[in-house]
Amino acid sequence: MGYRENPRPGGRSARVQAAVHQSVRDMLSTMDRADVTIPLIAQRANVTPSTIYRRWGDLQELLADVAASRLQPDGAPAKIGSARDDLEAWVEQYADEMASGVGREMIRDVLSIADTTNAERCSGYTQHQLCVLIARAEEYGEAFPTLAELMDHVISPIMYRVLFDQAPSADYVRELIARAVPGDTSRT
Amino acid sequence: MGYRENPRPGGRSARVQAAVHQSVRDMLSTMDRADVTIPLIAQRANVTPSTIYRRWGDLQELLADVAASRLQPDGAPAKIGSARDDLEAWVEQYADEMASGVGREMIRDVLSIADTTNAERCSGYTQHQLCVLIARAEEYGEAFPTLAELMDHVISPIMYRVLFDQAPSADYVRELIARAVPGDTSRT
DNA sequence: GGACAAAAGCAAATAATTTGCGTTAGTGGA
DNA sequence: TCCACTAACGCAAATTATTTGCTTTTGTCC
C-alpha cells in the first residue's frame, strides 16, 4: 500500500497527477493562494480529496511538488555569442524569474517542507544549466568560473536577496558576474 | 478591532504572547513538528484557540514569529583577537547553528510565509552582527571586507547550502572567509 | 481471461478553523 | 478614585478540512 515515486506514464495514476498539478497551477494563477484548499483542488481535478491526502499528505507537500516541477527549465540557455554573454543573459533571466512574485512563491513552497528532495531538485536544475555554459566556454576556449564559483558567488547572493531582502537589480547581477569571471574588467 | 504590533509590556496581551511563544518552543523541542497544532498550543498556553487564530492567523504565521524571535542573537560576537579571527569564529558558529536541524527548521518557518517582515528581521540581525565586526576592524586598523562583500560572498553561500544543499563544512566556511578578506593568503 | 496489487472512490468519524456575541482588563480622563 | 472606552480574550455553535475503514476500479503480469 505505498505510492510509486514515478507512476507509469499513461496509467491512471499519472493522469490523476497531471490533473491535480494542472488544477493547482490554474488556481494559483486565478485566485489568492490563501483560498487554495485541497477540497477545491480535488473538485477541479475531478478526484476525491482523500486521493490527494493519501498521495501528497498535505497542501504544502503538494504545492512543493508542483513548484519544483514548474522550476524545471524549458531548455538549454540561449546562445547569444560568447559563453560570457550567454551566462550574463541566462543569469539575468534567472534572477528576474526568481524575484518575480510567482517565482518567490514557488521557491518558498519548495523550501517550506522538511523533505529536501524538491529543494535539491531545483538546485540541480540550476547547476545543470551552468554546466552547459561551462562546457560551452571550454569549447570556445574562454576563461570561465568553475561551477562552485558560480554557485557561491553568483547564484547564492541572488537567492539570498530574493529570499531575505528585496529583489536583486540587473546592475547588481551584472556586477556579480563581472566579479566572478576571471580577468574580466571590461564592464561596470 | 486590530492587534497592536508591539503590545504594551506587562499587559495581558504581552502575557498571552509570551505564554504562546513559550508553549510553541516547548512543543517543538519535545514532539514531532507535524503533531504541533494550534489547539494543542492553546491548551498548553492556557488560552483559547480562537485567541491564537485571531492574533496570528494560522500555524505557519505563528511558527514564523516564534522562529524569528529565536534567531535573534544573544549578544555581540565574541572577542577572540583580531577582527579577522572574531569574524571566523562568529561565522563558524553561525553556520553551525543554521545548518543544525533546529536552525534549518527555524529558517524554513521564517521563509515559508508570504509576509517578508520576519525574513528581513533575520537578515537584519546578521547584518548588525557583521557591522559590529567591521567597526572593530576599523578600530584595530585591519583591512576588512565591506558589509556587502560579507553578505554576498560569505553569508549567502552558507545560506544557500543550508537551504538547497547539504550543510556547509567548517573548511568550506573558512575558505569563504579567506577569499573575502582582502590580502589574506595566510590560510587554506 | 483471471489473479493480483496499486491506487481511487465513498462516507462516516474526527479534528481544525471561523465567527458572532458576551466578558474582562488595561488606559486615560474627569 | 471612579467611570467610560476599547483592545483583546473566552465561549460555543457553525463550518470546513482531514483522517480512516472499507469497497471498487484499473492496469499489469502470467
Side-chain angles (χ1 to χ4, degrees):
Chain A
M1 200 21 133
Y3 281 76
R4 292 170 181 283
E5 275 191 23
N6 297 333
R8 305 196 171 115
R12 177 171 58 157
S13 176
R15 284 199 305 277
V16 167
Q17 170 169 340
V20 170
H21 272 230
Q22 186 59 49
S23 173
V24 170
R25 278 194 293 272
D26 289 351
M27 295 180 70
L28 286 179
S29 67
T30 57
M31 54 196 284
D32 195 274
R33 122 182 264 83
D35 299 330
V36 175
T37 64
I38 287 188
L40 275 180
I41 294 166
Q43 185 178 17
R44 179 185 278 249
N46 278 312
V47 298
T48 28
S50 63
T51 295
I52 296 181
Y53 285 116
R54 283 210 238 257
R55 188 149 166 183
W56 281 278
D58 61 19
L59 183 60
Q60 292 192 349
E61 301 260 358
L62 172 57
L63 291 177
D65 185 35
V66 172
S69 300
R70 298 182 73 184
L71 285 166
Q72 182 162 23
D74 287 339
K79 287 198 176 187
I80 313 284
S82 63
R84 167 71 165 77
D85 289 335
D86 292 0
L87 173 68
E88 192 165 285
W90 184 80
V91 174
E92 273 183 42
Q93 70 85 29
Y94 174 86
D96 282 347
E97 190 181 325
M98 294 303 174
S100 72
V102 194
R104 290 187 56 149
E105 275 190 353
M106 292 193 293
I107 301 165
R108 285 194 291 98
D109 286 341
V110 160
L111 292 178
S112 70
I113 58 176
D115 177 17
T116 58
T117 310
N118 283 311
E120 282 161 19
R121 246 171 94 191
C122 293
S123 182
Y125 295 150
T126 303
Q127 293 182 41
H128 180 261
Q129 297 294 76
L130 291 174
C131 283
V132 170
L133 292 167
I134 289 169
R136 270 184 213 167
E138 192 159 359
E139 188 190 340
Y140 302 163
E142 281 182 61
F144 212 71
T146 63
L147 177 61
E149 284 165 352
L150 287 171
M151 292 302 293
D152 286 349
H153 302 293
V154 178
I155 300 297
S156 298
I158 290 172
M159 289 302 289
Y160 187 93
R161 294 220 167 189
V162 166
L163 289 171
F164 290 97
D165 253 285
Q166 70 293 78
S169 70
D171 282 348
Y172 172 75
V173 169
R174 275 193 287 272
E175 210 176 311
L176 288 175
I177 293 175
R179 186 175 158 144
V181 174
D184 185 309
T185 51
S186 58
R187 328 191 190 193
T188 311
Chain B
M1 208 0 150
Y3 281 77
R4 293 170 182 282
E5 274 191 27
N6 296 332
R8 303 193 175 123
R12 177 170 59 157
S13 176
R15 284 200 303 277
V16 167
Q17 170 169 339
V20 169
H21 271 231
Q22 185 60 48
S23 174
V24 170
R25 279 194 293 271
D26 289 351
M27 295 181 68
L28 285 180
S29 67
T30 57
M31 54 196 284
D32 195 273
R33 124 182 262 82
D35 299 330
V36 174
T37 63
I38 287 188
L40 276 179
I41 294 166
Q43 185 178 19
R44 179 185 277 249
N46 278 313
V47 298
T48 353
S50 64
T51 294
I52 296 181
Y53 286 116
R54 284 206 162 93
R55 190 147 165 183
W56 280 278
D58 60 19
L59 183 59
Q60 292 192 347
E61 300 260 359
L62 172 56
L63 291 177
D65 185 34
V66 172
S69 299
R70 298 181 73 183
L71 285 166
Q72 181 161 23
D74 287 339
K79 286 199 178 187
I80 313 282
S82 64
R84 168 70 166 77
D85 289 337
D86 292 0
L87 173 68
E88 192 166 283
W90 183 80
V91 173
E92 274 183 41
Q93 71 85 28
Y94 173 85
D96 282 349
E97 191 180 324
M98 294 303 176
S100 72
V102 195
R104 289 186 56 149
E105 275 189 353
M106 291 192 294
I107 301 165
R108 284 195 292 99
D109 287 341
V110 160
L111 291 178
S112 69
I113 58 176
D115 178 17
T116 58
T117 311
N118 283 311
E120 282 162 19
R121 246 171 93 190
C122 293
S123 182
Y125 295 151
T126 303
Q127 293 183 40
H128 181 261
Q129 298 295 77
L130 291 174
C131 283
V132 170
L133 292 166
I134 290 170
R136 270 184 214 166
E138 192 159 359
E139 189 190 342
Y140 301 163
E142 281 181 62
F144 212 71
T146 63
L147 177 60
E149 284 165 353
L150 288 171
M151 291 304 292
D152 286 347
H153 303 294
V154 178
I155 299 298
S156 298
I158 291 173
M159 288 303 289
Y160 187 92
R161 295 221 166 189
V162 166
L163 288 171
F164 289 96
D165 253 287
Q166 70 293 79
S169 70
D171 281 349
Y172 172 75
V173 169
R174 276 193 287 273
E175 209 176 312
L176 287 175
I177 294 174
R179 185 177 160 143
V181 174
D184 186 309
T185 51
S186 57
R187 330 188 189 193
T188 311

